[in-house]
Amino acid sequence: AQTAGIGRALEAISPGRFVVAAGAKFASPRIEDAVACLARAGVDRIVGVVLAPHYSTASVGEYTRRAVRAAHDASASAGRAIALDVIPAWHLEPGLVALLATRVRNAVASLPAANREPLVVFTAHSIPKRLVVEGDPYPLQVGETAAAVARAADVGRWDVAWQSAGRTAEEWL
């Protein structure tokens, strides 16, 4: 549905100009399948958008590394260069901030009147602390999104929390 929606939006902007394909890390179609599909469609440039808005080497970085390898392989197979650009992060895009702010405002409005000034907790998937020490921007970007949404939703009290730490021995946020 997401792929079809992106395709419809691009088609409305510029009919016949874009080909859209989806690729995943852990399910079919894989990233490599999507790049090969686009190469077979004759494209000479691929713009990758990972549907996670915050950059982390463990998520967007891995998608990017796999897409780069696949574009290299597809270029060699096709006998022509296929350029690849990946949007690294889109965590402050106005549409995303507005959507999340609307959802926060609606959730706060649904509370009993006595609880209309809650502490809003923005949660995101955790990452290993080692990545943050190595310079991963993910927690900073999550915080930037939370701050922008809190401002747009007129939330006075908010915080960020981490969830779903991996099953490894190392420390996670």
PDB file of all heavy atoms in Angstrom, residues 115-152:
ATOM      1  N   ASN A 115      -7.035  15.664  32.930  1.00  0.00           N
ATOM      2  CA  ASN A 115      -5.723  15.139  32.527  1.00  0.00           C
ATOM      3  C   ASN A 115      -5.222  15.745  31.216  1.00  0.00           C
ATOM      4  O   ASN A 115      -4.444  15.121  30.516  1.00  0.00           O
ATOM      5  CB  ASN A 115      -5.801  13.620  32.371  1.00  0.00           C
ATOM      6  CG  ASN A 115      -6.115  12.934  33.669  1.00  0.00           C
ATOM      7  OD1 ASN A 115      -5.707  13.388  34.724  1.00  0.00           O
ATOM      8  ND2 ASN A 115      -6.860  11.853  33.596  1.00  0.00           N
ATOM      9  N   ARG A 116      -5.640  16.946  30.883  1.00  0.00           N
ATOM     10  CA  ARG A 116      -5.317  17.527  29.582  1.00  0.00           C
ATOM     11  C   ARG A 116      -3.927  18.142  29.503  1.00  0.00           C
ATOM     12  O   ARG A 116      -3.572  18.730  28.500  1.00  0.00           O
ATOM     13  CB  ARG A 116      -6.367  18.567  29.185  1.00  0.00           C
ATOM     14  CG  ARG A 116      -7.716  17.960  28.869  1.00  0.00           C
ATOM     15  CD  ARG A 116      -7.820  17.567  27.405  1.00  0.00           C
ATOM     16  NE  ARG A 116      -8.995  16.775  27.150  1.00  0.00           N
ATOM     17  CZ  ARG A 116     -10.209  17.262  26.924  1.00  0.00           C
ATOM     18  NH1 ARG A 116     -10.402  18.551  26.912  1.00  0.00           N
ATOM     19  NH2 ARG A 116     -11.219  16.444  26.706  1.00  0.00           N
ATOM     20  N   GLU A 117      -3.135  18.049  30.571  1.00  0.00           N
ATOM     21  CA  GLU A 117      -1.745  18.494  30.503  1.00  0.00           C
ATOM     22  C   GLU A 117      -0.837  17.332  30.878  1.00  0.00           C
ATOM     23  O   GLU A 117      -0.060  17.411  31.830  1.00  0.00           O
ATOM     24  CB  GLU A 117      -1.526  19.702  31.407  1.00  0.00           C
ATOM     25  CG  GLU A 117      -2.251  20.927  30.894  1.00  0.00           C
ATOM     26  CD  GLU A 117      -1.802  22.202  31.566  1.00  0.00           C
ATOM     27  OE1 GLU A 117      -0.627  22.286  31.954  1.00  0.00           O
ATOM     28  OE2 GLU A 117      -2.628  23.101  31.689  1.00  0.00           O
ATOM     29  N   PRO A 118      -0.899  16.263  30.097  1.00  0.00           N
ATOM     30  CA  PRO A 118      -0.126  15.064  30.444  1.00  0.00           C
ATOM     31  C   PRO A 118       1.340  15.217  30.081  1.00  0.00           C
ATOM     32  O   PRO A 118       1.730  16.126  29.345  1.00  0.00           O
ATOM     33  CB  PRO A 118      -0.770  13.989  29.566  1.00  0.00           C
ATOM     34  CG  PRO A 118      -1.151  14.756  28.331  1.00  0.00           C
ATOM     35  CD  PRO A 118      -1.637  16.099  28.852  1.00  0.00           C
ATOM     36  N   LEU A 119       2.123  14.304  30.601  1.00  0.00           N
ATOM     37  CA  LEU A 119       3.494  14.139  30.128  1.00  0.00           C
ATOM     38  C   LEU A 119       3.390  13.273  28.882  1.00  0.00           C
ATOM     39  O   LEU A 119       2.939  12.133  28.955  1.00  0.00           O
ATOM     40  CB  LEU A 119       4.372  13.445  31.178  1.00  0.00           C
ATOM     41  CG  LEU A 119       5.757  13.019  30.704  1.00  0.00           C
ATOM     42  CD1 LEU A 119       6.602  14.224  30.310  1.00  0.00           C
ATOM     43  CD2 LEU A 119       6.446  12.186  31.769  1.00  0.00           C
ATOM     44  N   VAL A 120       3.750  13.808  27.726  1.00  0.00           N
ATOM     45  CA  VAL A 120       3.712  13.058  26.473  1.00  0.00           C
ATOM     46  C   VAL A 120       5.073  12.410  26.293  1.00  0.00           C
ATOM     47  O   VAL A 120       6.110  13.087  26.344  1.00  0.00           O
ATOM     48  CB  VAL A 120       3.368  13.972  25.276  1.00  0.00           C
ATOM     49  CG1 VAL A 120       3.480  13.213  23.964  1.00  0.00           C
ATOM     50  CG2 VAL A 120       1.979  14.571  25.451  1.00  0.00           C
ATOM     51  N   VAL A 121       5.071  11.105  26.103  1.00  0.00           N
ATOM     52  CA  VAL A 121       6.317  10.375  25.930  1.00  0.00           C
ATOM     53  C   VAL A 121       6.397   9.889  24.484  1.00  0.00           C
ATOM     54  O   VAL A 121       5.545   9.134  24.028  1.00  0.00           O
ATOM     55  CB  VAL A 121       6.412   9.182  26.906  1.00  0.00           C
ATOM     56  CG1 VAL A 121       7.727   8.428  26.687  1.00  0.00           C
ATOM     57  CG2 VAL A 121       6.299   9.668  28.352  1.00  0.00           C
ATOM     58  N   PHE A 122       7.400  10.374  23.774  1.00  0.00           N
ATOM     59  CA  PHE A 122       7.670   9.937  22.409  1.00  0.00           C
ATOM     60  C   PHE A 122       8.611   8.744  22.506  1.00  0.00           C
ATOM     61  O   PHE A 122       9.659   8.841  23.135  1.00  0.00           O
ATOM     62  CB  PHE A 122       8.325  11.060  21.606  1.00  0.00           C
ATOM     63  CG  PHE A 122       7.455  12.278  21.451  1.00  0.00           C
ATOM     64  CD1 PHE A 122       7.553  13.334  22.342  1.00  0.00           C
ATOM     65  CD2 PHE A 122       6.543  12.349  20.423  1.00  0.00           C
ATOM     66  CE1 PHE A 122       6.749  14.456  22.198  1.00  0.00           C
ATOM     67  CE2 PHE A 122       5.731  13.472  20.267  1.00  0.00           C
ATOM     68  CZ  PHE A 122       5.832  14.523  21.162  1.00  0.00           C
ATOM     69  N   THR A 123       8.224   7.626  21.899  1.00  0.00           N
ATOM     70  CA  THR A 123       9.072   6.436  21.981  1.00  0.00           C
ATOM     71  C   THR A 123       9.605   6.073  20.599  1.00  0.00           C
ATOM     72  O   THR A 123       8.974   6.338  19.580  1.00  0.00           O
ATOM     73  CB  THR A 123       8.306   5.230  22.558  1.00  0.00           C
ATOM     74  OG1 THR A 123       7.290   4.825  21.643  1.00  0.00           O
ATOM     75  CG2 THR A 123       7.700   5.562  23.906  1.00  0.00           C
ATOM     76  N   ALA A 124      10.775   5.477  20.624  1.00  0.00           N
ATOM     77  CA  ALA A 124      11.398   5.021  19.383  1.00  0.00           C
ATOM     78  C   ALA A 124      12.161   3.738  19.683  1.00  0.00           C
ATOM     79  O   ALA A 124      12.521   3.468  20.838  1.00  0.00           O
ATOM     80  CB  ALA A 124      12.344   6.086  18.835  1.00  0.00           C
ATOM     81  N   HIS A 125      12.423   2.984  18.638  1.00  0.00           N
ATOM     82  CA  HIS A 125      13.183   1.753  18.801  1.00  0.00           C
ATOM     83  C   HIS A 125      14.577   2.079  19.314  1.00  0.00           C
ATOM     84  O   HIS A 125      15.206   3.030  18.866  1.00  0.00           O
ATOM     85  CB  HIS A 125      13.277   1.019  17.456  1.00  0.00           C
ATOM     86  CG  HIS A 125      13.630  -0.421  17.595  1.00  0.00           C
ATOM     87  ND1 HIS A 125      14.862  -0.839  18.010  1.00  0.00           N
ATOM     88  CD2 HIS A 125      12.900  -1.531  17.388  1.00  0.00           C
ATOM     89  CE1 HIS A 125      14.892  -2.160  18.045  1.00  0.00           C
ATOM     90  NE2 HIS A 125      13.701  -2.614  17.668  1.00  0.00           N
ATOM     91  N   SER A 126      15.032   1.304  20.248  1.00  0.00           N
ATOM     92  CA  SER A 126      16.357   1.500  20.815  1.00  0.00           C
ATOM     93  C   SER A 126      17.445   1.059  19.833  1.00  0.00           C
ATOM     94  O   SER A 126      17.182   0.332  18.875  1.00  0.00           O
ATOM     95  CB  SER A 126      16.474   0.698  22.108  1.00  0.00           C
ATOM     96  OG  SER A 126      17.677   1.010  22.770  1.00  0.00           O
ATOM     97  N   ILE A 127      18.657   1.526  20.106  1.00  0.00           N
ATOM     98  CA  ILE A 127      19.842   1.065  19.368  1.00  0.00           C
ATOM     99  C   ILE A 127      20.947   0.814  20.388  1.00  0.00           C
ATOM    100  O   ILE A 127      20.908   1.341  21.502  1.00  0.00           O
ATOM    101  CB  ILE A 127      20.318   2.069  18.290  1.00  0.00           C
ATOM    102  CG1 ILE A 127      20.725   3.406  18.913  1.00  0.00           C
ATOM    103  CG2 ILE A 127      19.264   2.243  17.212  1.00  0.00           C
ATOM    104  CD1 ILE A 127      21.401   4.361  17.939  1.00  0.00           C
ATOM    105  N   PRO A 128      21.952   0.043  20.021  1.00  0.00           N
ATOM    106  CA  PRO A 128      23.067  -0.163  20.952  1.00  0.00           C
ATOM    107  C   PRO A 128      23.779   1.153  21.262  1.00  0.00           C
ATOM    108  O   PRO A 128      23.998   1.979  20.373  1.00  0.00           O
ATOM    109  CB  PRO A 128      24.000  -1.103  20.177  1.00  0.00           C
ATOM    110  CG  PRO A 128      23.120  -1.788  19.185  1.00  0.00           C
ATOM    111  CD  PRO A 128      22.092  -0.765  18.805  1.00  0.00           C
ATOM    112  N   LYS A 129      24.128   1.345  22.527  1.00  0.00           N
ATOM    113  CA  LYS A 129      24.844   2.566  22.927  1.00  0.00           C
ATOM    114  C   LYS A 129      26.146   2.735  22.160  1.00  0.00           C
ATOM    115  O   LYS A 129      26.579   3.846  21.900  1.00  0.00           O
ATOM    116  CB  LYS A 129      25.109   2.558  24.430  1.00  0.00           C
ATOM    117  CG  LYS A 129      23.929   2.975  25.257  1.00  0.00           C
ATOM    118  CD  LYS A 129      24.332   3.216  26.690  1.00  0.00           C
ATOM    119  CE  LYS A 129      23.179   3.850  27.433  1.00  0.00           C
ATOM    120  NZ  LYS A 129      23.533   4.144  28.825  1.00  0.00           N
ATOM    121  N   ARG A 130      26.764   1.623  21.790  1.00  0.00           N
ATOM    122  CA  ARG A 130      28.018   1.659  21.035  1.00  0.00           C
ATOM    123  C   ARG A 130      27.865   2.491  19.766  1.00  0.00           C
ATOM    124  O   ARG A 130      28.773   3.243  19.392  1.00  0.00           O
ATOM    125  CB  ARG A 130      28.428   0.215  20.719  1.00  0.00           C
ATOM    126  CG  ARG A 130      29.242  -0.012  19.503  1.00  0.00           C
ATOM    127  CD  ARG A 130      29.470  -1.499  19.230  1.00  0.00           C
ATOM    128  NE  ARG A 130      28.272  -2.248  18.881  1.00  0.00           N
ATOM    129  CZ  ARG A 130      27.692  -2.234  17.682  1.00  0.00           C
ATOM    130  NH1 ARG A 130      28.169  -1.484  16.715  1.00  0.00           N
ATOM    131  NH2 ARG A 130      26.617  -2.961  17.442  1.00  0.00           N
ATOM    132  N   LEU A 131      26.719   2.391  19.095  1.00  0.00           N
ATOM    133  CA  LEU A 131      26.506   3.165  17.872  1.00  0.00           C
ATOM    134  C   LEU A 131      26.486   4.660  18.166  1.00  0.00           C
ATOM    135  O   LEU A 131      27.005   5.461  17.381  1.00  0.00           O
ATOM    136  CB  LEU A 131      25.206   2.743  17.191  1.00  0.00           C
ATOM    137  CG  LEU A 131      25.151   1.306  16.679  1.00  0.00           C
ATOM    138  CD1 LEU A 131      23.797   1.021  16.043  1.00  0.00           C
ATOM    139  CD2 LEU A 131      26.272   1.029  15.695  1.00  0.00           C
ATOM    140  N   VAL A 132      25.895   5.050  19.287  1.00  0.00           N
ATOM    141  CA  VAL A 132      25.843   6.461  19.662  1.00  0.00           C
ATOM    142  C   VAL A 132      27.256   6.973  19.947  1.00  0.00           C
ATOM    143  O   VAL A 132      27.640   8.054  19.498  1.00  0.00           O
ATOM    144  CB  VAL A 132      24.918   6.673  20.877  1.00  0.00           C
ATOM    145  CG1 VAL A 132      24.881   8.135  21.286  1.00  0.00           C
ATOM    146  CG2 VAL A 132      23.517   6.168  20.565  1.00  0.00           C
ATOM    147  N   VAL A 133      28.035   6.179  20.659  1.00  0.00           N
ATOM    148  CA  VAL A 133      29.429   6.547  20.953  1.00  0.00           C
ATOM    149  C   VAL A 133      30.208   6.713  19.653  1.00  0.00           C
ATOM    150  O   VAL A 133      31.063   7.597  19.536  1.00  0.00           O
ATOM    151  CB  VAL A 133      30.091   5.488  21.872  1.00  0.00           C
ATOM    152  CG1 VAL A 133      31.587   5.716  22.003  1.00  0.00           C
ATOM    153  CG2 VAL A 133      29.422   5.504  23.241  1.00  0.00           C
ATOM    154  N   GLU A 134      29.884   5.909  18.646  1.00  0.00           N
ATOM    155  CA  GLU A 134      30.556   5.985  17.348  1.00  0.00           C
ATOM    156  C   GLU A 134      30.032   7.130  16.484  1.00  0.00           C
ATOM    157  O   GLU A 134      30.480   7.314  15.363  1.00  0.00           O
ATOM    158  CB  GLU A 134      30.397   4.653  16.610  1.00  0.00           C
ATOM    159  CG  GLU A 134      31.132   3.504  17.275  1.00  0.00           C
ATOM    160  CD  GLU A 134      30.774   2.132  16.702  1.00  0.00           C
ATOM    161  OE1 GLU A 134      29.932   2.045  15.776  1.00  0.00           O
ATOM    162  OE2 GLU A 134      31.331   1.141  17.192  1.00  0.00           O
ATOM    163  N   GLY A 135      29.056   7.894  16.984  1.00  0.00           N
ATOM    164  CA  GLY A 135      28.572   9.066  16.263  1.00  0.00           C
ATOM    165  C   GLY A 135      27.241   8.914  15.555  1.00  0.00           C
ATOM    166  O   GLY A 135      26.855   9.791  14.778  1.00  0.00           O
ATOM    167  N   ASP A 136      26.519   7.833  15.791  1.00  0.00           N
ATOM    168  CA  ASP A 136      25.222   7.637  15.146  1.00  0.00           C
ATOM    169  C   ASP A 136      24.272   8.782  15.536  1.00  0.00           C
ATOM    170  O   ASP A 136      24.098   9.070  16.721  1.00  0.00           O
ATOM    171  CB  ASP A 136      24.629   6.295  15.590  1.00  0.00           C
ATOM    172  CG  ASP A 136      23.516   5.822  14.681  1.00  0.00           C
ATOM    173  OD1 ASP A 136      22.456   6.484  14.625  1.00  0.00           O
ATOM    174  OD2 ASP A 136      23.706   4.792  14.026  1.00  0.00           O
ATOM    175  N   PRO A 137      23.643   9.445  14.555  1.00  0.00           N
ATOM    176  CA  PRO A 137      22.785  10.597  14.847  1.00  0.00           C
ATOM    177  C   PRO A 137      21.362  10.239  15.277  1.00  0.00           C
ATOM    178  O   PRO A 137      20.555  11.127  15.571  1.00  0.00           O
ATOM    179  CB  PRO A 137      22.759  11.353  13.515  1.00  0.00           C
ATOM    180  CG  PRO A 137      22.859  10.273  12.488  1.00  0.00           C
ATOM    181  CD  PRO A 137      23.805   9.253  13.105  1.00  0.00           C
ATOM    182  N   TYR A 138      21.031   8.971  15.306  1.00  0.00           N
ATOM    183  CA  TYR A 138      19.656   8.539  15.556  1.00  0.00           C
ATOM    184  C   TYR A 138      19.018   9.145  16.809  1.00  0.00           C
ATOM    185  O   TYR A 138      17.940   9.741  16.713  1.00  0.00           O
ATOM    186  CB  TYR A 138      19.620   7.007  15.598  1.00  0.00           C
ATOM    187  CG  TYR A 138      18.297   6.398  15.895  1.00  0.00           C
ATOM    188  CD1 TYR A 138      17.301   6.328  14.927  1.00  0.00           C
ATOM    189  CD2 TYR A 138      18.026   5.847  17.141  1.00  0.00           C
ATOM    190  CE1 TYR A 138      16.078   5.740  15.195  1.00  0.00           C
ATOM    191  CE2 TYR A 138      16.812   5.255  17.413  1.00  0.00           C
ATOM    192  CZ  TYR A 138      15.836   5.201  16.446  1.00  0.00           C
ATOM    193  OH  TYR A 138      14.629   4.619  16.720  1.00  0.00           O
ATOM    194  N   PRO A 139      19.643   9.057  17.999  1.00  0.00           N
ATOM    195  CA  PRO A 139      18.950   9.624  19.165  1.00  0.00           C
ATOM    196  C   PRO A 139      18.777  11.134  19.076  1.00  0.00           C
ATOM    197  O   PRO A 139      17.753  11.667  19.521  1.00  0.00           O
ATOM    198  CB  PRO A 139      19.822   9.227  20.348  1.00  0.00           C
ATOM    199  CG  PRO A 139      21.107   8.764  19.791  1.00  0.00           C
ATOM    200  CD  PRO A 139      20.884   8.380  18.363  1.00  0.00           C
ATOM    201  N   LEU A 140      19.729  11.823  18.472  1.00  0.00           N
ATOM    202  CA  LEU A 140      19.593  13.266  18.285  1.00  0.00           C
ATOM    203  C   LEU A 140      18.410  13.571  17.368  1.00  0.00           C
ATOM    204  O   LEU A 140      17.590  14.455  17.650  1.00  0.00           O
ATOM    205  CB  LEU A 140      20.879  13.853  17.701  1.00  0.00           C
ATOM    206  CG  LEU A 140      20.832  15.332  17.334  1.00  0.00           C
ATOM    207  CD1 LEU A 140      20.636  16.194  18.569  1.00  0.00           C
ATOM    208  CD2 LEU A 140      22.100  15.727  16.608  1.00  0.00           C
ATOM    209  N   GLN A 141      18.297  12.827  16.260  1.00  0.00           N
ATOM    210  CA  GLN A 141      17.192  13.054  15.321  1.00  0.00           C
ATOM    211  C   GLN A 141      15.847  12.723  15.949  1.00  0.00           C
ATOM    212  O   GLN A 141      14.863  13.439  15.724  1.00  0.00           O
ATOM    213  CB  GLN A 141      17.413  12.256  14.041  1.00  0.00           C
ATOM    214  CG  GLN A 141      18.549  12.781  13.203  1.00  0.00           C
ATOM    215  CD  GLN A 141      18.760  11.983  11.933  1.00  0.00           C
ATOM    216  OE1 GLN A 141      18.048  11.034  11.639  1.00  0.00           O
ATOM    217  NE2 GLN A 141      19.765  12.373  11.166  1.00  0.00           N
ATOM    218  N   VAL A 142      15.776  11.655  16.739  1.00  0.00           N
ATOM    219  CA  VAL A 142      14.526  11.327  17.420  1.00  0.00           C
ATOM    220  C   VAL A 142      14.138  12.472  18.349  1.00  0.00           C
ATOM    221  O   VAL A 142      12.981  12.895  18.394  1.00  0.00           O
ATOM    222  CB  VAL A 142      14.628   9.983  18.181  1.00  0.00           C
ATOM    223  CG1 VAL A 142      13.435   9.780  19.100  1.00  0.00           C
ATOM    224  CG2 VAL A 142      14.749   8.817  17.203  1.00  0.00           C
ATOM    225  N   GLY A 143      15.118  13.004  19.071  1.00  0.00           N
ATOM    226  CA  GLY A 143      14.858  14.142  19.952  1.00  0.00           C
ATOM    227  C   GLY A 143      14.411  15.379  19.191  1.00  0.00           C
ATOM    228  O   GLY A 143      13.528  16.120  19.642  1.00  0.00           O
ATOM    229  N   GLU A 144      15.015  15.615  18.015  1.00  0.00           N
ATOM    230  CA  GLU A 144      14.603  16.761  17.188  1.00  0.00           C
ATOM    231  C   GLU A 144      13.162  16.608  16.716  1.00  0.00           C
ATOM    232  O   GLU A 144      12.394  17.575  16.708  1.00  0.00           O
ATOM    233  CB  GLU A 144      15.539  16.905  15.991  1.00  0.00           C
ATOM    234  CG  GLU A 144      16.935  17.373  16.353  1.00  0.00           C
ATOM    235  CD  GLU A 144      17.903  17.325  15.186  1.00  0.00           C
ATOM    236  OE1 GLU A 144      17.633  16.651  14.168  1.00  0.00           O
ATOM    237  OE2 GLU A 144      18.959  17.973  15.296  1.00  0.00           O
ATOM    238  N   THR A 145      12.792  15.391  16.318  1.00  0.00           N
ATOM    239  CA  THR A 145      11.412  15.154  15.896  1.00  0.00           C
ATOM    240  C   THR A 145      10.462  15.372  17.064  1.00  0.00           C
ATOM    241  O   THR A 145       9.431  16.035  16.922  1.00  0.00           O
ATOM    242  CB  THR A 145      11.242  13.727  15.333  1.00  0.00           C
ATOM    243  OG1 THR A 145      12.128  13.544  14.236  1.00  0.00           O
ATOM    244  CG2 THR A 145       9.809  13.477  14.880  1.00  0.00           C
ATOM    245  N   ALA A 146      10.804  14.809  18.215  1.00  0.00           N
ATOM    246  CA  ALA A 146       9.944  14.960  19.395  1.00  0.00           C
ATOM    247  C   ALA A 146       9.753  16.438  19.744  1.00  0.00           C
ATOM    248  O   ALA A 146       8.624  16.879  20.012  1.00  0.00           O
ATOM    249  CB  ALA A 146      10.533  14.193  20.576  1.00  0.00           C
ATOM    250  N   ALA A 147      10.834  17.199  19.721  1.00  0.00           N
ATOM    251  CA  ALA A 147      10.740  18.629  20.047  1.00  0.00           C
ATOM    252  C   ALA A 147       9.863  19.367  19.030  1.00  0.00           C
ATOM    253  O   ALA A 147       9.027  20.199  19.400  1.00  0.00           O
ATOM    254  CB  ALA A 147      12.135  19.250  20.098  1.00  0.00           C
ATOM    255  N   ALA A 148      10.043  19.055  17.754  1.00  0.00           N
ATOM    256  CA  ALA A 148       9.239  19.719  16.709  1.00  0.00           C
ATOM    257  C   ALA A 148       7.768  19.357  16.839  1.00  0.00           C
ATOM    258  O   ALA A 148       6.886  20.227  16.699  1.00  0.00           O
ATOM    259  CB  ALA A 148       9.762  19.330  15.322  1.00  0.00           C
ATOM    260  N   VAL A 149       7.472  18.104  17.117  1.00  0.00           N
ATOM    261  CA  VAL A 149       6.074  17.671  17.271  1.00  0.00           C
ATOM    262  C   VAL A 149       5.478  18.298  18.531  1.00  0.00           C
ATOM    263  O   VAL A 149       4.331  18.773  18.507  1.00  0.00           O
ATOM    264  CB  VAL A 149       5.971  16.134  17.295  1.00  0.00           C
ATOM    265  CG1 VAL A 149       4.567  15.674  17.655  1.00  0.00           C
ATOM    266  CG2 VAL A 149       6.392  15.554  15.942  1.00  0.00           C
ATOM    267  N   ALA A 150       6.235  18.317  19.622  1.00  0.00           N
ATOM    268  CA  ALA A 150       5.736  18.923  20.857  1.00  0.00           C
ATOM    269  C   ALA A 150       5.405  20.402  20.646  1.00  0.00           C
ATOM    270  O   ALA A 150       4.354  20.885  21.098  1.00  0.00           O
ATOM    271  CB  ALA A 150       6.756  18.747  21.980  1.00  0.00           C
ATOM    272  N   ARG A 151       6.278  21.117  19.927  1.00  0.00           N
ATOM    273  CA  ARG A 151       6.005  22.531  19.623  1.00  0.00           C
ATOM    274  C   ARG A 151       4.742  22.662  18.779  1.00  0.00           C
ATOM    275  O   ARG A 151       3.861  23.466  19.077  1.00  0.00           O
ATOM    276  CB  ARG A 151       7.177  23.164  18.867  1.00  0.00           C
ATOM    277  CG  ARG A 151       8.261  23.731  19.736  1.00  0.00           C
ATOM    278  CD  ARG A 151       9.263  24.577  18.956  1.00  0.00           C
ATOM    279  NE  ARG A 151       9.841  23.919  17.801  1.00  0.00           N
ATOM    280  CZ  ARG A 151      10.859  23.076  17.831  1.00  0.00           C
ATOM    281  NH1 ARG A 151      11.433  22.770  18.980  1.00  0.00           N
ATOM    282  NH2 ARG A 151      11.325  22.531  16.727  1.00  0.00           N
ATOM    283  N   ALA A 152       4.649  21.870  17.732  1.00  0.00           N
ATOM    284  CA  ALA A 152       3.507  21.964  16.812  1.00  0.00           C
ATOM    285  C   ALA A 152       2.199  21.557  17.487  1.00  0.00           C
ATOM    286  O   ALA A 152       1.133  22.072  17.139  1.00  0.00           O
ATOM    287  CB  ALA A 152       3.752  21.098  15.577  1.00  0.00           C
TER     288      ALA A 152
END
